Amino acid sequence: MGEDKEPTIFDKDIHTDFLEKMTYGDYLQLDSLLSSQKRLSGHHDEMLFIIIHQVSELWMKLILHELEASIVLIKKGELSLAFKMLARVSKIQSQIIQAWDVLSTLTPAEYMEFREKLGQASGFQSYQYRMIEFKLGYKTKHVLEIYKKDQKLHGELLEAYKKSGIYDAAILALSRAGLDIPDEVLNRDYTSPYEYQQSVEDAWITVYKNVETYWDLYELAEKLIDIEDWLQQWRFRHMKTVERIIGHKKGTGGSSGVGYLKKVLDHRFFPELWDVRTKL
């Protein structure tokens, strides 16, 4: 028998010498990323809990990246470029929703083994989630108190709290298309949660009844509906996962837990876009 030969599994041109070159791990900073899972207990399932939340935060970072850019584009009137970004946001949301299915493999008995190690830390304190709410027009000043520990972060959140959101940009697009939007709506106090406006509903009704004339605005409306729809599905899966794991206990951050999560399901970010379906 001849000598055993190592099977050829790689293309001969694949690079293998990285002594002085950047690798995949270098580019993604994997040393830092993969060493960021610090369990505070010795329990096996705490790793699942940490990774699910870290991955969700990474996806939220990308959502914010896309939302910020799309707001700028909508304000410039470059709607078609914003549509790709908004479609991407919806796809990202589907990934975050599916993460709840993985977390749901954590049983109540398993979670109780390390829950006390969380102290008062809670997903309620996710500043990126608050940023997303701000960009969608839901502003709550009292939550800013949570972040005073980090003055830089608090300043960034305060700035986002004062800015207009994506729905304000969409309403501006309605006005620029010649639809009647009063100045007080266009120049509203952005630090207040957006509330239903009859003039905005009338404008969207015109768009939906004249799709060919207002195709870009019609597509923008549907992209926004997609985002709110997926966000509400995320909220629902969040609520059911919490109920499945801890029942109706209070959250680690002090909220009422499932009770609080059920209440936020009633909130609408873009009320006229939902109401218009009844009026058509």
Side-chain angles (χ1 to χ4, degrees):
M1 295 179 66
E3 294 182 2
D4 291 338
K5 292 183 178 180
E6 183 178 347
T8 302
I9 58 174
F10 294 118
D11 187 294
K12 65 179 182 179
D13 293 325
I14 289 179
H15 297 291
T16 57
D17 180 5
F18 286 97
L19 292 177
E20 298 181 359
K21 298 174 185 176
M22 180 178 66
T23 66
Y24 170 82
D26 295 334
Y27 176 69
L28 295 178
Q29 300 184 53
L30 291 183
D31 284 348
S32 174
L33 184 66
L34 298 179
S35 62
S36 297
Q37 294 72 48
K38 313 288 188 184
R39 286 185 293 169
L40 298 181
S41 73
H43 198 275
H44 174 85
D45 292 312
E46 190 182 356
M47 184 65 77
L48 161 70
F49 190 83
I50 292 171
I51 288 177
I52 286 293
H53 287 86
Q54 287 183 339
V55 169
S56 294
E57 289 292 336
L58 284 172
W59 279 130
M60 283 192 277
K61 183 173 183 176
L62 186 53
I63 286 175
L64 286 167
H65 179 68
E66 303 297 340
L67 283 178
E68 287 166 4
S70 63
I71 290 171
V72 171
L73 289 170
I74 294 167
K75 287 180 176 179
K76 288 182 178 179
E78 299 175 3
L79 301 188
S80 60
L81 294 176
F83 295 154
K84 174 68 178 293
M85 296 172 183
L86 297 179
R88 182 175 292 158
V89 168
S90 295
K91 291 297 184 182
I92 297 166
Q93 289 175 295
S94 71
Q95 294 295 310
I96 297 180
I97 291 168
Q98 289 176 11
W100 292 120
D101 294 336
V102 184
L103 189 58
S104 292
T105 64
L106 182 68
T107 67
E110 290 164 345
Y111 183 47
M112 287 303 108
E113 291 290 326
F114 62 86
R115 186 180 190 236
E116 65 176 15
K117 296 293 186 181
L118 302 181
Q120 293 181 322
S122 166
F124 182 82
Q125 296 147 18
S126 168
Y127 67 85
Q128 290 199 122
Y129 180 73
R130 296 301 167 197
M131 286 279 203
I132 291 171
E133 285 191 329
F134 289 176
K135 291 191 183 303
L136 296 181
Y138 182 58
K139 307 291 183 70
T140 47
K141 189 173 184 179
H142 70 276
V143 300
L144 294 173
E145 297 294 315
I146 295 170
Y147 310 101
K148 281 190 172 180
K149 177 181 179 179
D150 184 333
Q151 287 300 308
K152 182 176 181 294
L153 173 59
H154 183 267
E156 291 173 359
L157 281 158
L158 185 60
E159 183 181 358
Y161 171 76
K162 295 177 180 178
K163 280 186 175 180
S164 60
I166 194 166
Y167 199 45
D168 297 299
I171 292 171
L172 177 61
L174 290 172
S175 177
R176 287 177 172 172
L179 296 163
D180 186 20
I181 306 292
D183 288 340
E184 59 265 27
V185 176
L186 294 172
N187 300 303
R188 73 182 189 87
D189 177 5
Y190 299 131
T191 64
S192 299
Y194 179 81
E195 295 182 354
Y196 168 90
Q197 300 291 333
Q198 183 65 55
S199 61
V200 174
E201 181 181 291
D202 291 342
W204 285 125
I205 288 174
T206 300
V207 168
Y208 274 81
K209 285 185 174 180
N210 299 275
V211 171
E212 291 184 3
T213 303
Y214 299 104
W215 176 260
D216 281 352
L217 291 171
Y218 170 71
E219 191 170 357
L220 174 59
E222 289 299 298
K223 288 286 188 292
L224 294 177
I225 280 289
D226 286 342
I227 289 172
E228 179 163 352
D229 191 351
W230 281 112
L231 184 61
Q232 292 292 50
Q233 290 186 53
W234 181 89
R235 282 173 162 178
F236 178 78
R237 290 295 295 123
H238 184 189
M239 181 269 293
K240 295 306 292 183
T241 301
V242 170
E243 185 174 19
R244 175 173 176 156
I245 296 175
I246 68 168
H248 288 264
K249 293 184 182 73
K250 287 190 71 172
T252 51
S255 75
S256 58
V258 169
Y260 169 79
L261 295 173
K262 282 183 176 179
K263 283 191 293 186
V264 299
L265 283 171
D266 292 331
H267 174 257
R268 298 188 302 172
F269 291 94
F270 316 131
E272 297 88 356
L273 290 179
W274 294 102
D275 290 346
V276 73
R277 281 143 170 79
T278 305
K279 306 292 177 63
L280 290 175

